[in-house]
């Protein structure tokens, strides 16, 4: 092996260790009793490992927060994909006046910080009587996003036009072309966008914190933050909650990592 390759792999190994070490400590802490955590070194192995922290999450109503987060994420992913695919195809292949100008004005909203829109969105939801409801959690984000539409549009534009024209010659209308030609050809980027959407919405904190109160529609991020004050910063309990929140995301990435890598490679080649 060349010396340059050795240096590269050593650098990657060091980066991986630095990145994964906090997660490893968090996982170990979640299986450590509160007494051992308070009296022993951070590097101590759980002795003995315990599940009492995860039982404490059930007593704190963490299961409902997990269910609310899963439902919210599922609705948002479905809405984001459907509306983003429709809008991206319109911007990529349909011809209408002002198409490019409208697209770039819409994409320019990416430069507006999300915190700027929180107050107007809150006032809109409050006036509509939707504050502290499930619909208040999903309505501001369910109709697509500038990033998703931009990502899909660029991928759709790379699909050979001959493929679309061939489908039209066979009698396919615009919706048929989108469903049976464009979407199957864009599976890698759609899977990647799904993962990005799941992670961003699963970890969304500011908007659920502002628009909901109480435990009925509390999501994982808000519930985890609440543990720090409700239980006097019992970090073993907080680490258990963090582990529960992270595990589904890691599982999704492991299952679909092949599609993510393929979307990056294919996009780079095109």
């Amino acid at each position: 092996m060349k010396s340059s390759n050795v240096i590269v792999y050593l650098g990657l190994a060091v980066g991986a260790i630095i990145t994964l070490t906090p997660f490893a400590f968090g996982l170990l802490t979640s299986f450590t009793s509160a007494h051992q955590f308070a009296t022993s070194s951070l590097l101590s192995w759980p002795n003995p490992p315990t599940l009492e922290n995860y039982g404490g999450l059930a007593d704190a109503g963490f299961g409902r927060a997990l269910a609310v987060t899963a439902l919210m994420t599922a609705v948002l992913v479905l809405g984001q994909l459907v509306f983003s695919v429709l809008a991206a195809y319109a911007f990529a292949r349909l011809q209408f006046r002002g198409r490019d100008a409208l697209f770039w004005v819409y994409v320019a909203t990416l430069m507006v910080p999300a915190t700027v829109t929180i107050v107007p969105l809150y006032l809109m939801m409050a006036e509509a009587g939707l504050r502290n409801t499930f619909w208040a959690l999903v309505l501001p984000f369910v109709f697509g996003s500038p990033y998703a539409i931009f990502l899909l549009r660029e991928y759709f534009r790379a699909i050979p036009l001959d493929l679309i024209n061939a489908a039209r010659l066979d009698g396919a209308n615009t919706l048929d072309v989108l469903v049976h030609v464009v979407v199957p050809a864009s599976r890698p980027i759609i899977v990647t966008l799904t993962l990005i959407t799941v992670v961003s919405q699963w970890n969304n904190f500011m908007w659920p914190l502002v628009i909901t109160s109480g435990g009925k529609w509390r999501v994982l991020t808000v519930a985890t933050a609440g543990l720090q004050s409700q239980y006097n910063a019992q970090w073993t309990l907080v680490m258990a909650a963090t582990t529960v929140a992270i595990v589904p995301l890691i599982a999704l990435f492991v299952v679909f990592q092949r599609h993510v890598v393929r979307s990056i490679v294919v996009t780079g080649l095109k």
Side-chain angles (χ1 to χ4, degrees):
M1 182 180 293
K2 296 180 179 180
S3 59
S4 60
N5 290 338
V6 173
I7 295 174
V8 170
Y9 283 114
L10 284 176
L12 291 174
V14 171
I17 292 172
I18 293 174
T19 302
L20 296 176
T21 297
F23 293 99
F25 280 132
L27 181 62
L28 289 177
T29 303
S30 71
F31 291 104
T32 303
S33 66
H35 175 73
Q36 181 185 348
F37 181 79
T39 58
S40 303
S41 170
L42 179 64
L43 300 178
S44 300
W45 194 266
N47 185 27
T50 178
L51 295 176
E52 65 179 14
N53 297 311
Y54 293 93
L57 293 180
D59 296 337
F62 208 75
R64 179 175 178 83
L66 180 62
V68 170
T69 304
L71 178 60
M72 178 191 73
T73 303
V75 172
L76 288 174
V77 168
L78 179 62
Q80 286 263 357
L81 289 181
V82 171
F83 291 105
S84 294
V85 165
L86 292 173
Y89 184 74
F91 285 127
R93 293 302 184 187
L94 301 185
Q95 299 294 330
F96 56 91
R97 181 175 297 180
R99 182 192 68 177
D100 293 338
L102 179 61
F103 171 74
W104 289 114
V105 168
Y106 182 62
V107 170
T109 60
L110 281 170
M111 303 189 66
V112 179
T115 52
V116 173
T117 62
I118 285 182
V119 172
L121 282 175
Y122 178 86
L123 294 176
M124 291 169 59
M125 295 299 151
E127 288 294 327
L130 296 177
R131 191 176 64 84
N132 200 30
T133 65
F134 177 76
W135 295 112
L137 288 172
V138 300
L139 281 179
F141 311 103
V142 76
F143 296 109
S145 68
Y147 174 78
I149 292 172
F150 174 79
L151 190 68
L152 290 172
R153 173 185 179 267
E154 297 307 304
Y155 200 95
F156 290 170
R157 285 166 60 89
I159 296 175
L161 190 58
D162 292 342
L163 193 63
I164 296 175
N165 291 335
R168 292 192 180 280
L169 288 175
D170 288 337
N173 57 33
T174 300
L175 186 59
D176 290 332
V177 170
L178 178 61
V179 173
H180 299 293
V181 177
V182 175
V183 170
S186 306
R187 186 175 301 170
I189 198 66
I190 290 177
V191 171
T192 301
L193 180 61
T194 300
L195 291 178
I196 293 172
T197 305
V198 168
V199 171
S200 62
Q201 299 303 329
W202 188 271
N203 293 328
N204 194 0
F205 173 72
M206 183 60 69
W207 177 246
L209 177 66
V210 170
I211 201 62
T212 62
S213 58
K216 185 176 182 180
W217 298 113
R218 185 172 54 182
V219 299
L220 279 177
T221 51
V222 177
T224 302
L227 291 175
Q228 300 181 36
S229 57
Q230 184 179 356
Y231 291 90
N232 297 321
Q234 289 187 13
W235 293 111
T236 55
L237 201 62
V238 173
M239 289 300 102
T242 303
T243 301
V244 170
I246 289 177
V247 165
L249 302 182
I250 295 176
L252 277 176
F253 179 77
V254 170
V255 172
F256 295 106
Q257 61 177 324
R258 178 172 57 88
H259 296 279
V260 176
V261 174
R262 183 183 172 193
S263 72
I264 296 172
V265 172
V266 172
T267 303
L269 290 177
K270 290 181 179 179

